[in-house]
Amino acid sequence: MFSISPSARLRPSPFFDATVAEGVRAFTTYNHMLMPTSYGDPQAEYWRLINGVSQWDVAVERQVQLKGPDAAVLAQILAPRDLSRQKVGQGKYVPLCNHHGVLINDPICLKLADDLFWLSIADSNIWFWAQAIAAERGLNVEVSEPDVSPMAIQGPKAEDVVAHVCGDFVRDLKYFWFSETTIGDIPVVVQRSGWSKQGGFEIYLRDGSRGTELWNIFKEAGQPWGIGPGNPNWCERIESGLVSYGGDSDTTTNPFEVRMGKYVDLDVPDDTIGIQALRQIAATGAKRHTLGLVLEGDTPIAPGFSWNPIMQNGRKMGDLTNVVFSFRLKKNIGFALVSADLAIGDVVQCQIGGTSHQGRLTDLPFL
Ligand code: THG
């Protein structure tokens, strides 16, 4: 075994001590932080998310704050999705693209006030990007990172737990809408969101010194519903068709190729970054698309975290960007980022760890 050396560049999550107390067994890195990826019992953690309620340290979803008179202008320059009708208290899932229309992040954009936004980012550095764009465009906006750390409560029983802690008002929150509130005297934002399709909320802690306290409030309140620790679940998210930026995309992928076309609005202002390129791609059609792949056989193969080539008639047609044994489908499944010439129903071959597997392309989500 080896360990990870501490460094000033590796930012601790406010929930780190709580996850250690829960028996965390593995971490991954994300946005220069550690995110728990296992508490040692993948099956139990999966079924707790599907049938019960699961508590996640997702402080790695760091916030890029845009504040000032031009905050809304900057948000719209960064995001090729129409934000003009976004209300205070509403979140929107937005692709961020570079000038070539390549996806560079897929945050949730929270509008806290007319002049205050948070981009709750995936794993790439958007602070530099947003700061540079703001300066180059001469905007009156401050780009910074606030003291904010999300914790997720996910699963069919999450609403009961969060309502028990925060009050019944959370039951009325629509998807991605949020409310600023306090739990005791701990300042938080509560949003109906989270990287699973099992329902749930994210509690954005606004005082990093109180992570253990907040964790334990939910841990105790959730006991009647059997709450336990978990993390963004590799199996559930593949079954549910949730895209992982940087995992299912690479340095050439545009939003249309990864099923994010419905979050692109081609009529945003012309100064939105990447919109020229996206209009072009939309006009000619993307060269690739993402489908599901169901492999033949029901023997579990090891979860895959790197791309594997997808072949048809001996020609490479794309890549399998992830693979997992689905506990509900009892099949090995994954996302196929393949040529737009391939369609649902096509039979393809995929080389995984030295073995060739046959499979059939399907629609997403799997479940
Ligand atoms: N929570 C918060 N911030 C985040 C994530 C999160 N930042 C990084 C990363 N995760 C962002 N990625 C996603 C991807 C998908 C969804 C949420 C965050 C999601 N998608 C639904 C879907 O695809 O069906 C619904 C999208 C919609 O219809 O608008 O929920 O998890 N705070």
Side-chain angles (χ1 to χ4, degrees):
M1 274 308 286
F2 54 87
S3 59
I4 295 166
S5 305
S7 111
R9 296 178 306 280
L10 189 64
R11 195 174 77 160
S13 159
F15 308 113
F16 179 79
D17 291 342
T19 63
V20 170
E22 294 276 12
V24 65
R25 293 280 292 278
F27 292 94
T28 189
T29 61
Y30 195 105
N31 280 329
H32 301 268
M33 295 179 67
L34 295 178
M35 177 172 70
T37 53
S38 172
Y39 291 84
D41 190 345
Q43 290 247 17
E45 290 159 37
Y46 172 83
W47 290 112
R48 183 183 290 146
L49 170 62
I50 302 297
N51 297 324
V53 52
S54 179
Q55 185 175 9
W56 304 354
D57 171 4
V58 285
V60 297
E61 291 155 1
R62 293 168 71 159
Q63 312 303 304
V64 177
Q65 177 170 287
L66 317 179
K67 186 169 171 39
D70 288 334
V73 174
L74 179 58
Q76 188 63 86
I77 286 172
L78 297 174
R81 178 174 183 182
D82 182 9
L83 300 178
S84 65
R85 283 180 296 277
Q86 185 178 13
K87 300 279 193 298
V88 172
Q90 184 180 18
K92 278 184 173 250
Y93 182 39
V94 296
L96 302 188
C97 294
N98 69 14
H99 300 77
H100 306 289
V102 168
L103 189 68
I104 59 166
N105 206 294
D106 67 334
I108 298 168
C109 175
L110 292 82
K111 182 172 183 175
L112 291 110
D114 287 326
D115 62 353
L116 180 62
F117 294 77
W118 291 347
L119 298 175
S120 181
I121 60 167
D123 187 20
S124 72
N125 195 324
I126 296 302
W127 298 275
F128 287 161
W129 179 256
Q131 272 167 357
I133 304 296
E136 295 285 320
R137 304 270 174 119
L139 299 177
N140 184 1
V141 56
E142 186 200 331
V143 177
S144 64
E145 180 172 22
D147 176 2
V148 172
S149 305
M151 178 187 77
I153 307 291
Q154 298 287 299
K157 299 187 177 147
E159 184 170 306
D160 287 338
V161 175
V162 176
H164 183 72
V165 173
C166 299
D168 276 328
F169 76 90
V170 302
R171 298 187 190 278
D172 299 324
L173 283 174
K174 288 179 282 187
Y175 204 70
F176 282 151
W177 287 68
F178 60 88
S179 184
E180 299 185 53
T181 183
T182 53
I183 295 171
D185 64 346
I186 306 176
V188 297
V189 165
V190 179
Q191 183 180 36
R192 189 185 289 276
S193 57
W195 207 55
S196 86
K197 286 302 228 179
Q198 307 312 310
F201 293 81
E202 288 175 302
I203 318 297
Y204 295 68
L205 170 63
R206 303 180 83 166
D207 178 350
S209 71
R210 307 190 71 177
T212 301
E213 218 180 319
L214 185 72
W215 184 277
N216 288 334
I217 287 170
F218 280 90
K219 180 180 164 76
E220 276 154 38
Q223 288 312 312
W225 292 277
I227 200 168
N231 52 269
N233 191 281
W234 188 248
C235 178
E236 189 277 341
R237 78 94 176 174
I238 295 172
E239 292 173 337
S240 298
L242 287 172
V243 166
S244 177
Y245 164 77
D248 303 318
S249 64
D250 66 10
T251 55
T252 67
T253 313
N254 65 62
F256 304 108
E257 295 177 319
V258 287
R259 309 177 71 82
M260 288 188 72
K262 57 179 177 289
Y263 309 119
V264 173
D265 291 310
L266 296 174
D267 57 357
V268 294
D270 289 347
D271 63 359
T272 295
I273 295 171
I275 196 61
Q276 260 63 275
L278 292 168
R279 287 174 187 153
Q280 196 81 45
I281 297 164
T284 54
K287 293 192 177 62
R288 298 182 292 183
H289 58 171
T290 299
L291 298 173
L293 180 63
V294 179
L295 300 179
E296 285 177 2
D298 50 14
T299 308
I301 59 177
F305 299 97
S306 56
W307 291 20
N308 291 294
I310 290 177
M311 317 289 290
Q312 194 184 46
N313 303 324
R315 278 181 55 215
K316 185 175 177 209
M317 301 301 281
D319 296 278
L320 189 66
T321 67
N322 58 55
V323 62
V324 75
F325 182 73
S326 163
F327 292 126
R328 282 180 286 176
L329 294 170
K330 309 258 188 300
K331 293 271 184 197
N332 297 297
I333 59 173
F335 294 0
L337 176 57
V338 290
S339 161
D341 296 338
L342 295 193
I344 292 167
D346 282 0
V347 172
V348 295
Q349 292 76 40
C350 189
Q351 189 84 15
I352 304 170
T355 310
S356 181
H357 296 261
Q358 183 141 287
R360 193 178 286 275
L361 296 172
T362 65
D363 203 357
L364 286 172
F366 293 100
L367 284 168

